[in-house]
C-alpha cells in the first residue's frame, strides 16, 4: 500500500476484504452443499464441478484473509459473521443438477462482478496486491 494511505483508507480496504472473505466462504459453502444434494441424471459430474468451485473459493477466501491480516486486519471467522456480512443470497433447496449449477453460477457471477468493481479502491490507493486479488477470480471466470 502506498505511503499516502491514511487510517481511513486502511479501514476501507479491510472492510472490503472482510466482505469478500465472507462472500467467498459463503458461496463456497453453498457450492459444496449443493454438490452433496444434487440427484438424478448428471449429478456425479455436477457434484465434481461444484466441489471444484468450492475448493477454488476456499483458496480465494484464504488469500483474501491473508491479505487482510497482512494489512493489520482480522477477517470475519465465524459462520455467523460470514453469513451476516455476505451479499450472496441463500441457495434454494433444489436437487436437479442443471438448476443447481445455474443458481450457483448466478451467485458466482454476482461475486465476480463485485470483486471486479472492488479492485478500483485498492488500485486508487496504490495497493496492487489487493487489486490483483480482486481481479484474480474474475479473470479466471472468462
Amino acid at each position: 500500500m502506498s505511503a499516502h494511505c491514511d487510517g481511513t483508507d486502511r479501514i476501507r480496504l479491510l472492510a472490503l476484504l472482510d466482505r469478500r472473505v465472507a462472500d467467498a466462504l459463503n458461496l463456497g459453502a453453498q457450492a459444496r452443499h449443493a454438490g452433496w444434494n444434487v440427484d438424478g441424471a448428471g449429478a456425479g459430474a455436477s457434484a465434481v464441478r461444484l466441489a471444484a468451485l468450492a475448493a477454488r473459493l476456499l483458496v480465494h477466501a484464504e488469500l483474501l484473509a491473508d491479505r487482510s491480516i497482512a494489512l493489520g486486519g482480522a477477517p470475519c471467522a465465524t459462520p455467523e459473521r460470514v453469513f451476516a456480512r455476505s451479499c450472496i443470497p441463500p441457495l434454494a433447496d433444489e436437487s436437479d443438477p442443471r438448476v443447481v449449477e445455474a443458481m450457483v453460477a448466478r451467485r458466482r457471477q454476482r461475486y465476480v462482478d463485485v470483486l471486479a468493481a472492488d479492485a478500483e479502491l485498492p488500485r486508487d490507493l496504490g495497493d496492487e496486491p489487493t487489486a490483483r486479488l480482486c481481479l484474480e477470480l474474475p479473470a479466471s471466470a472468462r
Side-chain angles (χ1 to χ4, degrees), residues 26-35 37-38 50 83 88-94 99-108:
N26 184 7
L27 184 55
Q30 287 185 24
R32 189 68 190 120
H33 291 132
N37 292 318
V38 290
L50 290 165
F83 297 121
I88 306 296
L91 196 60
D93 188 19
E94 179 60 59
V99 174
V100 170
E101 285 196 77
M103 289 189 304
V104 171
R106 283 191 298 277
R107 284 160 180 75
R108 180 178 185 269

Side-chain angles (χ1 to χ4, degrees), residues 29-76:
Q30 287 185 24
R32 189 68 190 120
H33 291 132
W36 292 335
N37 292 318
V38 290
D39 190 25
S46 179
V48 168
R49 286 189 294 273
L50 290 165
L53 174 59
R56 286 183 63 215
L57 288 162
L58 179 59
V59 168
H60 197 248
E62 289 281 341
L63 294 170
L64 292 166
D66 288 347
R67 183 66 187 148
S68 176
I69 292 165
L71 293 173
C76 63

